[in-house]
Amino acid sequence: GQQVMQIPQYQHVQEGEDFTTYCNSSTTLSNIQWYKQRPGGHPVFLIQLVKSGEVKKQKRLTFQFGEAKKNSSLHITATQTTDVGTYFCAGPVYNQGGKLIFGQGTELSVKP
Amino acid sequence: DTEVTQTPKHLVMGMTNKKSLKCEQHMGHRAMYWYKQKAKKPPELMFVYSYEKLSINESVPSRFSPECPNSSLLNLHLHALQPEDSALYLCASTPRGPGDGEKLFFGSGTQLSVL
C-alpha cells in the first residue's frame, strides 16, 4: 500500500546547529503537509506544499517539495530550544477522500 | 474561536467501564476526525464525519463508537476497552469535507489509560 517514509527518526543537535528531516512517498502526492508536535502536545499545522519544486520559508524554517512530488524536506536554520518537538509530514492517500497518511515523524531535541 | 476543545484531558478506566470522549469546535468546520496516537508514533485515523455523516471508518473495533450529534460536536463512546487501547485520542476538524489540501486543526487530546 501507499507509504510515507520519514528520516531520521531522531535528531539531537546543539543549539545553533541546522536540522533537516526528509519525507519520501511511495506514490506521487497532490500535496504534502507538515505538522509539529511539542512534547506533551498535539500536532499543529505548519505548512502545505502543492506545486512541483515548491519552496516555502517561515522565518528559520524552509520547506521543499520535490520535482516529482514524491519527496519533501524541512530544514531549520540555527535551531533554538523552542524548535524541540516531533515533526511529521503527511500526504493524502490516493482516492480515499482526503485521508492523510503520516510519516513516522522526526523527533528533534536541542541542547542549549 | 480557532480551537478544537477536547474533554476530558485525562481518563483512566477499567476494562468493564463505559466512558465517552467529547470534542467541540465552533469554527464552522464541516468535517471532524478521531485519531489515535501511541507514544512516539504518528496519529492513526479512526473515523471521519463529513457534514455530520460518518464517511470513513478505518475498521475500528466496535468497542469504539463515534457519534456526531451536530456539526460542532463529536463524541467517542468507549466500552469494554483493552489495555492496548491506552493512547492519546485526538480530535481534529477541517473547514470543508475531507479532501485533498484540507489542513487539520487538532484538539489537545485525551490521554486514555485502560487498566
Side-chain angles (χ1 to χ4, degrees):
Chain A
Q2 184 177 347
Q3 292 185 342
V4 174
M5 308 298 292
Q6 193 174 349
I7 57 169
Q9 189 174 357
Y10 302 98
Q11 186 79 60
H12 309 286
V13 301
Q14 193 79 30
E15 189 172 21
E17 291 181 341
D18 292 356
F19 158 78
T20 305
T21 173
Y22 300 91
C23 187
N24 288 287
S25 171
S26 58
T27 61
T28 301
L29 299 171
S30 59
N31 66 83
I32 193 159
Q33 299 179 4
W34 286 90
Y35 292 81
K36 176 184 178 180
Q37 186 170 17
R38 293 180 188 273
H42 58 279
V44 175
F45 175 84
L46 293 177
I47 207 161
Q48 179 179 265
L49 305 171
V50 178
K51 299 177 183 176
S52 169
E54 188 170 15
V55 178
K56 286 189 175 180
K57 292 189 176 183
Q58 290 180 349
K59 298 183 180 178
R60 294 177 296 103
L61 277 61
T62 302
F63 302 85
Q64 293 189 332
F65 200 12
E67 293 290 341
K69 301 182 75 173
K70 294 181 73 174
N71 57 68
S72 181
S73 65
L74 158 59
H75 179 81
I76 302 178
T77 303
T79 54
Q80 300 175 358
T81 54
T82 52
D83 297 323
V84 165
T86 301
Y87 293 85
F88 293 101
C89 61
V93 178
Y94 177 73
N95 233 14
Q96 289 201 28
K99 173 185 170 183
L100 279 180
I101 182 168
F102 282 81
Q104 291 299 302
T106 296
E107 183 179 342
L108 172 64
S109 63
V110 179
K111 188 175 182 180
Chain B
D1 187 351
T2 58
E3 282 191 344
V4 176
T5 303
Q6 288 188 245
T7 56
K9 293 197 181 304
H10 303 274
L11 179 62
V12 179
M13 61 186 290
M15 289 189 283
T16 59
N17 291 161
K18 285 185 180 181
K19 296 287 184 182
S20 296
L21 309 184
K22 296 185 185 300
C23 175
E24 192 168 3
Q25 57 85 15
H26 295 289
M27 296 180 281
H29 288 185
R30 304 316 303 265
M32 297 185 76
Y33 308 68
W34 281 115
Y35 281 85
K36 173 182 177 181
Q37 187 178 30
K38 290 278 205 178
K40 307 286 188 183
K41 296 292 185 183
E44 295 177 18
L45 183 64
M46 300 175 71
F47 303 102
V48 181
Y49 274 84
S50 177
Y51 294 86
E52 301 166 45
K53 292 185 179 179
L54 184 65
S55 63
I56 296 178
N57 176 344
E58 289 290 289
S59 302
V60 178
S62 60
R63 57 186 184 269
F64 295 91
S65 175
E67 179 196 19
C68 188
N70 60 57
S71 60
S72 299
L73 294 173
L74 186 66
N75 298 320
L76 186 63
H77 303 296
L78 314 173
H79 174 54
L81 294 193
Q82 304 297 309
E84 60 265 29
D85 296 321
S86 298
L88 179 67
Y89 287 84
L90 293 161
C91 175
S93 67
T94 52
R96 293 175 291 273
D100 279 5
E102 287 288 291
K103 77 177 191 183
L104 290 162
F105 291 74
F106 282 94
S108 56
T110 295
Q111 187 64 54
L112 174 68
S113 296
V114 182
L115 304 179

